[in-house]
């Protein structure tokens, strides 16, 4: 499942990022969002969500959230 489908305030593990865009992969890696890392959707907004990765919070849009697969 991806981040648009998960429950808020529950920790998941990133299993895969569905993109071939190297810049996007590098950006997510710089945030600490890569395979094997814990991630939590803190809250949902109309066009996106707030995620918590490595004790930091980020606002991402639904398009990006749909590319991040978790287990």
């Amino acid at each position: 499942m991806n981040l648009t489908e998960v429950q808020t305030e529950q920790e998941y593990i990133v299993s895969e990022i569905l993109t071939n865009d190297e810049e996007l992969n590098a950006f997510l890696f710089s945030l600490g969002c890569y395979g094997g890392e814990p991630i939590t959707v803190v809250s949902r907004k109309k066009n996106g969500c707030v995620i918590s990765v490595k004790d930091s919070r980020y606002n991402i849009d639904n398009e990006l959230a749909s590319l991040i697969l978790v287990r």
Side-chain angles (χ1 to χ4, degrees), residues 3 6-14 33 37-44 49-58 60 68 70:
L3 289 183
V6 301
Q7 294 181 359
T8 59
E9 298 296 332
Q10 186 171 338
E11 185 173 89
Y12 295 89
I13 302 297
V14 176
C33 184
E37 287 299 311
I39 189 169
T40 303
V41 175
V42 177
S43 64
R44 297 202 186 282
C49 58
V50 177
I51 60 169
S52 175
V53 180
K54 294 196 177 265
D55 297 325
S56 296
R57 290 183 179 199
Y58 304 100
I60 62 172
I68 302 171
V70 296

Side-chain angles (χ1 to χ4, degrees), residues 20-66:
N20 292 326
D21 184 338
E22 290 188 28
E23 285 184 35
L24 181 57
N25 275 329
F27 170 71
L28 290 172
F29 187 83
S30 73
L31 300 181
C33 184
Y34 47 86
E37 287 299 311
I39 189 169
T40 303
V41 175
V42 177
S43 64
R44 297 202 186 282
K45 306 223 180 243
K46 182 177 180 181
N47 296 319
C49 58
V50 177
I51 60 169
S52 175
V53 180
K54 294 196 177 265
D55 297 325
S56 296
R57 290 183 179 199
Y58 304 100
N59 187 28
I60 62 172
D61 65 16
N62 285 329
E63 184 179 346
L64 179 53
S66 69

